[in-house]
Amino acid sequence: MQSRIVQLEEGKENGIPIVRSGQYKGFPSKLLLLLGFFLAFSVTVFIISVSTIKFSGIQSVVTTVTSSFVPCREDEPNSLSKWIQPPAALMHNMSDEELLWRASFWPRRKEYPFRRVPKIAFMFLTKGPLPLAMLWERFLKGHKGLYSVYLHPHPSFTAKFPASSVFHRRQIPSQVAEWGRMSMCDAEKRLLANALLDISNEWFVLVSESCIPLFNFTTIYSYLSRSKHSFMGAFDDPGPFGRGRYNGNMEPEVPLSKWRKGSQWFEVNRDLAATIVKDTLYYPKFKEFCRPACYVDEHYFPTMLTIEKPTVLANRSLTWVDWSRGGPHPATFGRSDITEKFFERIFDGRNCSYNGGNTSMCYLFARKFAPSTLEPLLHIAPKVLGF
């Protein structure tokens, strides 16, 4: 450009007319100079514009990327809430394998970096309706934040409770549970796994629709929170209904010397609940080699925990039942049974171990109570049960 201008200027000074191939005369020198400045200015503006666009474009991208991460940075102080908040809804699409895998995560450190109020998880393993729900409602009233409720009914049943009920939307995804078969243990593990998803649940109590509490909530909470042990029957029965059910194919994982029997109605702490949920070693053995007349729900958990955590078991259940009438199932109580004298029989005349000492308070729950017992139970509860 400059060369061209110089040539034009030199041609003018020498008086030599410059003629193009198109045979046109040269422009006046001032016009050419003006045109040169305009072209130079245009090029300069173009270069500056391109540079500005590139720079501002990069800045825009950086700004956009940075701003997209700002919410994450703002949430970082509260990111722990994902782990410490209980699930908003109990119904989910996880398979049992996915659920057990997820629930098997638990802290290795005893200290919690937040204020944790430990809760009791009441896990109802039911056939369907809860005929004694009103009694449990009264028992739990006024203690919100100290308990959780989980329902595992037959999968064809959908619980319908009002929004004010402690049972409202507390049903978990369920499957058929058959008495004496591994599907019963699967249901219990399913309840434990769902309850473990709430980090505040510390004690896990398995009850049925025919169970009732024998004391008020404060008494039961204190009893469980102060106990050094978990409550599950795990005794060695040398007879045909104990060792007689053992199958030698369960060795070496399950030796005969560790074979135990106990009631399926248990209370375990968080550590034992996680131990049950994570098990993949003993489960296949029991599923394959403990089938009726080996009733797996009486042997799987007691045997497994005797092998894994024997020192933390109290070796007794907290749920009272009456086997005095004989047969494969305990006695069922009806309306006429609900008297003060009946409960005196439950409370008195027994001693058991508690934290290394003796206590007469051996049971916190009782079963089996028919639906007809609800009205007399509600009537007698304030005086006899304390709520």
Side-chain angles (χ1 to χ4, degrees):
M1 180 67 70
Q2 291 177 349
S3 175
R4 180 181 173 188
I5 294 173
V6 169
Q7 288 177 359
L8 289 174
E9 291 177 344
E10 288 177 349
K12 178 184 176 185
E13 290 175 356
N14 294 330
I16 302 175
I18 298 176
V19 181
R20 296 293 179 186
S21 56
Q23 298 298 317
Y24 60 85
K25 295 183 179 181
F27 291 99
S29 60
K30 290 184 179 180
L31 185 60
L32 288 174
L33 186 60
L34 201 65
L35 179 61
F37 281 127
F38 175 77
L39 289 174
F41 175 79
S42 299
V43 171
T44 302
V45 170
F46 176 78
I47 293 172
I48 293 173
S49 299
V50 170
S51 300
T52 303
I53 291 172
K54 286 183 178 181
F55 177 77
S56 62
I58 293 171
Q59 288 293 96
S60 177
V61 172
V62 172
T63 303
T64 303
V65 173
T66 303
S67 63
S68 68
F69 280 91
V70 167
C72 294
R73 288 176 179 170
E74 290 177 351
D75 288 345
E76 281 177 1
N78 298 320
S79 61
L80 190 62
S81 63
K82 298 177 182 178
W83 295 94
I84 65 177
Q85 293 297 324
L90 296 186
M91 298 302 290
H92 54 74
N93 296 321
M94 286 187 285
S95 66
D96 275 359
E97 283 302 311
E98 293 170 336
L99 172 65
L100 295 175
W101 179 83
R102 171 65 185 85
S104 66
F105 298 169
W106 81 94
R108 304 297 192 209
R109 298 185 63 171
K110 293 183 179 180
E111 300 81 11
Y112 288 87
F114 58 93
R115 184 176 179 271
R116 176 180 182 262
V117 178
K119 298 188 295 187
I120 302 174
F122 292 100
M123 308 179 301
F124 288 80
L125 180 58
T126 76
K127 297 176 182 177
L130 293 174
L132 305 178
M134 288 182 64
L135 185 69
W136 284 94
E137 295 268 12
R138 183 189 290 182
F139 165 74
L140 295 171
K141 185 177 181 180
H143 302 286
K144 187 177 181 180
L146 296 176
Y147 67 86
S148 301
V149 172
Y150 301 86
L151 307 178
H152 185 295
H154 189 281
S156 64
F157 177 81
T158 300
K160 296 180 180 179
F161 291 95
S164 59
S165 172
V166 298
F167 297 103
H168 179 63
R169 299 180 64 183
R170 301 309 297 175
Q171 182 172 333
I172 67 169
S174 61
Q175 296 183 30
V176 175
E178 299 176 277
W179 176 69
R181 297 186 179 274
M182 185 54 89
S183 59
M184 184 67 74
C185 295
D186 290 337
E188 294 170 14
K189 292 179 77 170
R190 204 172 292 123
L191 278 163
L192 283 169
N194 279 279
L196 279 167
L197 297 183
D198 185 343
I199 195 68
S200 293
N201 286 332
E202 183 62 28
W203 306 284
F204 303 77
V205 180
L206 182 67
V207 292
S208 73
E209 71 273 18
S210 69
C211 285
I212 66 168
L214 293 175
F215 297 92
N216 61 42
F217 181 88
T218 302
T219 301
I220 289 178
Y221 187 92
S222 176
Y223 194 97
L224 296 181
S225 63
R226 294 179 182 179
S227 176
K228 300 176 182 178
H229 301 88
S230 287
F231 296 88
M232 178 179 292
F235 59 93
D236 184 6
D237 180 359
F241 304 114
R243 290 198 176 202
R245 296 174 176 174
Y246 178 77
N247 188 321
N249 290 312
M250 302 181 79
E251 290 185 332
E253 291 83 0
V254 183
L256 177 60
S257 62
K258 299 294 184 181
W259 182 255
R260 295 293 184 268
K261 180 181 179 179
S263 168
Q264 73 176 111
W265 310 105
F266 59 77
E267 179 279 324
V268 295
N269 64 19
R270 189 171 186 88
D271 181 60
L272 289 194
T275 300
I276 292 172
V277 162
K278 76 179 182 66
D279 172 52
T280 57
L281 178 62
Y282 308 104
Y283 181 89
K285 292 288 186 176
F286 279 89
K287 185 175 183 178
E288 183 174 0
F289 299 114
C290 185
R291 301 178 181 181
C294 175
Y295 299 103
V296 68
D297 52 280
E298 295 180 1
H299 296 282
Y300 174 36
F301 295 159
T303 300
M304 177 183 66
L305 294 180
T306 295
I307 298 172
E308 292 288 326
K309 307 273 187 176
T311 61
V312 297
L313 295 179
N315 193 20
R316 64 182 178 90
S317 174
L318 290 176
T319 303
W320 179 87
V321 291
D322 182 3
W323 290 98
S324 63
R325 302 179 188 181
H329 300 286
T332 298
F333 306 105
R335 182 186 184 93
S336 61
D337 292 306
I338 308 305
T339 63
E340 291 186 34
K341 195 169 184 179
F342 169 80
F343 283 99
E344 288 175 4
R345 184 159 63 94
I346 298 176
F347 294 136
D348 298 336
R350 291 178 178 81
N351 285 299
C352 54
S353 176
Y354 179 77
N355 289 344
N358 290 326
T359 179
S360 60
M361 188 176 174
C362 299
Y363 300 104
L364 302 183
F365 309 95
R367 63 186 304 264
K368 304 171 56 173
F369 292 82
S372 62
T373 62
L374 176 61
E375 185 180 345
L377 282 171
L378 289 172
H379 177 73
I380 204 173
K383 181 178 181 180
V384 175
L385 306 180
F387 61 91

